[in-house]
Amino acid sequence: MISDEDKDRVRAATDLVQLVQETVELKPRGQEFWGCCPFHGEKTPSFHVIPATQVWHCFGCGEGGDAFTYVMKRENLSFPESIRYLADRAGIEIADDAPRARQGTKRSRIIDVCEEACAFFHTMLMRGKDGRGREYFATRGIGSAVCQRYRLGYAPGRGSLVAHLSAKGFKPREMIDANVAVSRDRGRLSDRFYDRVMFPIFDEQGRCIAFGGRIMGKGEPKYLNTAETPVFHKKRNLYGFNWAKEHIVAADEAIVVEGYTDAIACWEAGIKNVVATLGTALTEHHVKTLTRFAKRIVYLFDGDAAGQKAAERAIQFVETGSVDLRCVILPDDLDPADFLRDRSGEDLRAMLDAAEPLLDFVFRKLEGRSDVTTPAGRARALEDACRLIYPLRTSYMIDTYYMQIADRLGADPDMVREAATRVFRQVAREEETARNRERMRDRAQRDRSAATAPTPATQSAAAPGGGEPWGSEPFDEEPYDYVPMEADGGADAAVSSEPAVAAAPAAPLTELERRSLTGERELLCLLTSYPDSFRPFAERITEIDWIDSRHEAIAWAVLATPEGSSAADVMAAARSVCPEAPQLVSAGTIDATSAHPTETNIEFLLDTLELYTIRRRMWQAQARLRSDRSLTVEERRDMAIRATQDAARVRELERAVEGVADPFRQYDQQGGA
C-alpha cells in the first residue's frame, strides 16, 4: 500500500495550476485561476483553481477535488494510479510497503505482462532468426530506426511467448487476462499471436497495454487485436496518444487516422498530432478524450467507400461539447501511408488545413450519390439524409439541419421535416428489433453455456496434475492497494484509499437549507485560504447550525491548526477529518467575484450563515407551536420570547448584509447545490 508519507510527498511536489495548464488555458482572477472545464463542453469559464489550497472545482458539471482527483478524471486512472502518475511526473520514487507489493494489482500485473511481451516481440523482430517480420516492414518502407522508435515487433508463435513469460515468473492466469495467451483443451496454454508483425498499443503514460497484430501475407483476420481487458478498451484507447498528446495541445488540433502504419507515416512525415483508432470507428469516448486537449478534430479517412461510411458514422459527434469536427478524404482511394509515400507531408498538411466541416462533406456527398434532378433520386437522397441525422434528432439545431438538407436537395423544408419524422420512427423500430435479436442471442448463448458448463469433477480431471485448471485459478484475492467498497461510502469510497465519512444529507433540501449549504461551502473555501483571518471569529462559528456535518468537521479541524500554518498543513488537517475535503472546499466563488476585502467577505458570510440559522430555527419553532399540542403555557411563552429575540437579531443581520454583493447570486443562477 502507498504510504501516507509518499502521498504527501507527491502532493507537495505537484503544482495544481501547472498541472492543469498542461491542457487548459487558465487566466488569473484575483487569487484564483479560471478557465473552461476540460471535462465538459462550455464556452464561458466555470472551472477554477485555488493555488493557496491546491484544489479545483467546476461550477458547470459540479466536479472538484485536488491534484489526485484531477488526474484520476483526466487520465481515467484509479486513486493509487493517480499517485504513481504524479510521482513519475515529479521524479519521486514510491516505496510500496505492503508485503504483497511485488505482486501488485491485477491491472498492474496485466501491464507488466504486456510490457514484457512487447520487449519479447521487439527482440524477435530485431534479432530473431525468422526474418519475415523485418522483410515485411522493409517492403512498407519502415526501417530499423522506425521499428525501434515505435517498439514494433514480430510474434513467431509456437508457444515461444508463453515459455518466455513463464520463465519471467508470470502466471498463466495473468497471461490470459492480458490476452497474450489463450487456454486450449485440457488447460494447455498457447500464444494468441503468431506469424504476425506486432504493433504495441500504449496508454497515455506510455505503458504497453495491448497489441495489434497484422498478418504478413494472405489470411484472415488481416488484423488481430487484443480483446477487451481491465486496462484496454478499444472504444476508449487511441494508438499513439502517448506520443501525440503534447503536439495535439500545441496545435490545438487532433488528427485521427484508421491504421497503425498511417499514424506512423504521419509522424515520420513531421505531422505529430496524429492518433489512430483501434479497429473501431470514432467513438464518443474518443471524441471526449481528444476534446480535453484540442477543440478541432480532423478525421483523415481513407479514400475508399469504407472511409466515406466512417465519415457518415461520425456525424453523431458534431455536437459533442464545442468540438469543431472536420474531415479529409484522400484522393484515388489512397490511405495516408500510401499518400505520403507518393507525395509529401506538406501536401497532406495543406489538405488538413483545408479540412471541410463534417456535416458539409456528408451532405455534399448525398448529392453525388443520387441523381437529385429526378424525383426518385431526390426521394432516395432525402431518406439517406434523414437517416444520417437520426443521432441528432433531439438537437436544438435540428431545424437548421432540415434547412441544410432542403437547400442541398432543392426540397421544401416542411417536406424534409415530414420525411424525417417518418424515417426516425422507422430507424427506431429497426434499432429495437436489433436489440431484441441481440438479447435473444445472449439468452441462447447463456443457455448453451449452462448446459455445457463443466462439473467440479471434470474441472479437476482437466487440470494438469489434478489441481485447478489454469483458466480458473483465483487471481490476487486482495491486491496490495485494494480499496474495499464501504457500505456507506459507495462509489466514492472506491476512489480514495482513505476512510469513508458521513455523506451530505440525502433528503431533499428546502430553499433555505440549499442556500445554507452553499454558504457553508463558500465559508470553507475562504477559511482554508485565510485561516488566520477567521480565528478571531471562532465563537461566531459555534453559532452556525451546519447543514452538512462534514463542513463543520473541516471548519474546526482548520481552526485547530496553529496560527501561521501553511496552506498545505491546513489542507492536511481538513483531509484528516474528511477525505472529501478537496472537493468540498473548492466550491466557492466569493474570493474571486467579490470586490470587498477578505475581512468584509468573512463577516458577510458569518452574518449570512447566522441569518439562515436563525430563520430555520424560527421556522421550526413556528411549526412546533402550530402542531405540538403537548406544549405547556410556560414552554409556549419561552418560545415566543425566543422568537421575538430571534426576529430582532434577523433584522440586525439583514441590515448588516444589506448593500454587500450577494456571492450566491451567480451560484443560484447556475442551479444551486
Side-chain angles (χ1 to χ4, degrees):
M1 190 172 184
I2 300 174
S3 66
D4 290 338
E5 181 181 353
D6 280 340
K7 291 178 197 172
D8 292 339
R9 285 200 300 140
V10 173
R11 186 181 282 114
T14 302
D15 182 354
L16 182 58
V17 174
Q18 185 178 358
L19 175 68
V20 173
Q21 281 181 326
E22 291 178 358
T23 53
V24 177
E25 182 182 0
L26 295 177
K27 294 182 179 180
R29 188 188 298 174
Q31 302 298 316
E32 302 174 3
F33 287 82
W34 287 73
C36 291
C37 180
F39 306 125
H40 79 285
E42 62 178 11
K43 296 182 180 179
T44 303
S46 62
F47 175 96
H48 77 150
V49 180
I50 307 175
T53 53
Q54 292 289 292
V55 294
W56 62 276
H57 184 81
C58 175
F59 294 95
C61 63
E63 298 286 349
D66 58 7
F68 295 138
T69 54
Y70 181 79
V71 168
M72 286 168 65
K73 189 164 180 64
R74 191 185 79 176
E75 307 291 341
N76 191 28
L77 301 176
S78 66
F79 180 69
E81 287 171 337
S82 71
I83 300 173
R84 294 190 182 88
Y85 178 96
L86 291 175
D88 291 342
R89 181 177 178 274
I92 295 174
E93 185 174 348
I94 296 293
D96 293 332
D97 58 2
R100 301 185 66 181
R102 194 168 50 84
Q103 191 173 33
T105 62
K106 182 175 182 178
R107 288 174 58 90
S108 67
R109 291 296 285 176
I110 289 175
I111 293 172
D112 290 343
V113 170
C114 291
E115 281 285 344
E116 189 59 42
C118 178
F120 173 80
F121 291 144
H122 186 63
T123 300
M124 291 297 101
L125 173 68
M126 305 303 292
R127 299 198 296 272
K129 293 181 181 180
D130 191 336
R132 287 181 295 164
R134 294 188 290 272
E135 293 170 3
Y136 171 81
F137 281 127
T139 62
R140 299 298 301 268
I142 298 176
S144 173
V146 176
C147 290
Q148 292 183 47
R149 196 147 43 238
Y150 305 109
R151 298 173 67 184
L152 306 183
Y154 170 67
R158 292 173 289 280
S160 56
L161 177 62
V162 168
H164 175 79
L165 294 175
S166 297
K168 292 292 183 178
F170 292 103
K171 300 176 183 178
R173 179 75 259 166
E174 294 169 343
M175 301 181 210
I176 293 172
D177 286 341
N179 204 228
V180 298
V182 292
S183 180
R184 304 295 185 188
D185 57 313
R186 294 182 174 273
R188 181 174 59 86
L189 215 58
S190 301
D191 292 356
R192 172 172 167 78
F193 301 98
Y194 55 89
D195 289 341
R196 290 177 180 269
V197 289
M198 303 299 293
F199 296 86
I201 299 165
F202 305 96
D203 64 11
E204 292 184 30
Q205 298 168 261
R207 302 175 301 182
C208 182
I209 56 173
F211 297 93
R214 191 195 192 284
I215 199 166
M216 295 175 289
K218 295 182 179 180
E220 292 295 334
K222 181 179 178 181
Y223 279 98
L224 180 65
N225 295 325
T226 297
E228 298 282 304
T229 73
V231 300
F232 172 67
H233 309 280
K234 65 182 180 180
K235 292 184 178 180
R236 293 178 179 269
N237 295 106
L238 290 160
Y239 178 68
F241 194 47
N242 54 307
W243 296 306
K245 183 166 62 174
E246 62 182 85
H247 301 287
I248 290 172
V249 173
D252 196 25
E253 176 188 70
I255 300 165
V256 181
V257 297
E258 296 186 301
Y260 310 113
T261 54
D262 294 334
I264 291 173
C266 289
W267 295 328
E268 292 301 304
I271 302 174
K272 304 289 188 180
N273 54 326
V274 177
V275 295
T277 53
L278 297 164
T280 181
L282 195 69
T283 69
E284 183 179 6
H285 292 296
H286 293 151
V287 174
K288 286 183 176 179
T289 296
L290 293 173
T291 51
R292 287 174 12 215
F293 301 90
K295 295 307 179 187
R296 175 180 161 116
I297 299 176
V298 180
Y299 208 160
L300 182 56
F301 299 100
D302 294 353
D304 56 13
Q308 296 190 25
K309 284 290 185 183
E312 294 175 0
R313 287 195 298 269
I315 274 188
Q316 60 187 299
F317 307 122
V318 296
E319 294 185 2
T320 301
S322 56
V323 61
D324 177 13
L325 191 57
R326 295 175 174 258
C327 73
V328 169
I329 299 292
L330 296 175
D332 304 324
D333 291 347
L334 294 173
D335 61 30
D338 293 335
F339 180 91
L340 288 168
R341 185 167 56 247
D342 296 344
R343 305 190 191 182
S344 67
E346 289 76 11
D347 292 334
L348 182 57
R349 183 73 263 176
M351 294 189 68
L352 293 169
D353 290 341
E356 187 176 10
L358 184 64
L359 268 176
D360 291 350
F361 165 79
V362 171
F363 287 150
R364 181 168 55 81
K365 283 295 180 182
L366 288 176
E367 300 175 55
R369 187 182 304 170
S370 303
D371 184 2
V372 296
T373 61
T374 66
R378 192 179 301 115
R380 186 163 51 251
L382 177 57
E383 177 158 347
D384 289 344
C386 292
R387 284 181 173 271
L388 284 172
I389 64 171
Y390 173 76
L392 307 175
R393 61 194 180 280
T394 60
S395 168
Y396 71 94
M397 293 283 291
I398 191 66
D399 283 333
T400 302
Y401 302 143
Y402 292 155
M403 292 293 294
Q404 285 183 267
I405 295 172
D407 292 342
R408 294 268 182 190
L409 302 183
D412 182 80
D414 290 335
M415 184 178 74
V416 175
R417 188 177 292 105
E418 182 180 343
T421 302
R422 172 180 53 80
V423 172
F424 290 170
R425 283 199 299 264
Q426 182 179 344
V427 175
R429 286 194 297 269
E430 292 171 0
E431 289 184 344
E432 181 61 27
T433 300
R435 283 193 294 268
N436 290 336
R437 191 177 295 118
E438 185 66 26
R439 283 194 289 267
M440 292 174 65
R441 277 199 298 266
D442 290 344
R443 189 179 303 115
Q445 179 64 38
R446 287 195 299 270
D447 292 344
R448 284 194 298 271
S449 299
T452 59
T455 64
T458 58
Q459 285 184 336
S460 179
E468 281 193 342
W470 283 338
S472 63
E473 74 179 45
F475 185 97
D476 292 355
E477 291 83 355
E478 289 187 18
Y480 79 96
D481 55 1
Y482 168 74
V483 182
M485 288 280 285
E486 298 295 340
D488 292 334
D492 289 336
V495 170
S496 171
S497 67
E498 303 180 40
V501 295
L509 298 176
T510 65
E511 173 66 15
L512 190 54
E513 289 172 332
R514 185 181 64 80
R515 291 181 64 83
S516 297
L517 194 65
T518 303
E520 290 174 15
R521 292 182 180 173
E522 289 282 354
L523 183 142
L524 290 181
C525 186
L526 210 59
L527 173 61
T528 49
S529 297
Y530 308 100
D532 289 345
S533 298
F534 271 87
R535 298 187 195 280
F537 300 97
E539 187 174 346
R540 289 204 62 187
I541 293 177
T542 63
E543 299 172 3
I544 298 173
D545 184 8
W546 299 81
I547 298 295
D548 191 330
S549 59
R550 298 174 299 174
H551 296 168
E552 183 176 16
I554 292 171
W556 289 114
V558 170
L559 291 173
T561 59
E563 189 170 355
S565 295
S566 66
D569 291 339
V570 167
M571 284 304 300
R575 281 191 300 271
S576 68
V577 297
C578 179
E580 296 158 300
Q583 290 93 318
L584 299 176
V585 306
S586 60
T589 62
I590 188 170
D591 199 32
T593 58
S594 173
H596 299 293
T598 300
E599 291 72 16
T600 302
N601 290 332
I602 291 174
E603 291 189 32
F604 172 78
L605 279 174
L606 292 173
D607 287 344
T608 301
L609 287 173
E610 185 184 349
L611 178 63
Y612 292 164
T613 296
I614 296 175
R615 283 177 174 171
R616 293 202 310 276
R617 190 167 65 215
M618 291 175 65
W619 179 83
Q620 291 166 356
Q622 291 167 1
R624 190 180 178 197
L625 283 169
R626 287 194 301 268
S627 61
D628 191 349
R629 298 184 178 180
S630 65
L631 291 173
T632 64
V633 174
E634 290 77 9
E635 288 173 332
R636 288 179 177 275
R637 186 181 65 247
D638 291 342
M639 292 178 67
I641 293 172
R642 179 63 184 270
T644 302
Q645 295 170 342
D646 284 345
R649 180 58 178 162
V650 163
R651 288 191 292 273
E652 287 180 29
L653 293 170
E654 287 174 340
R655 286 193 296 270
V657 300
E658 187 178 0
V660 180
D662 186 349
F664 311 139
R665 189 172 300 144
Q666 179 184 7
Y667 190 84
D668 288 340
Q669 290 170 352
Q670 295 169 345

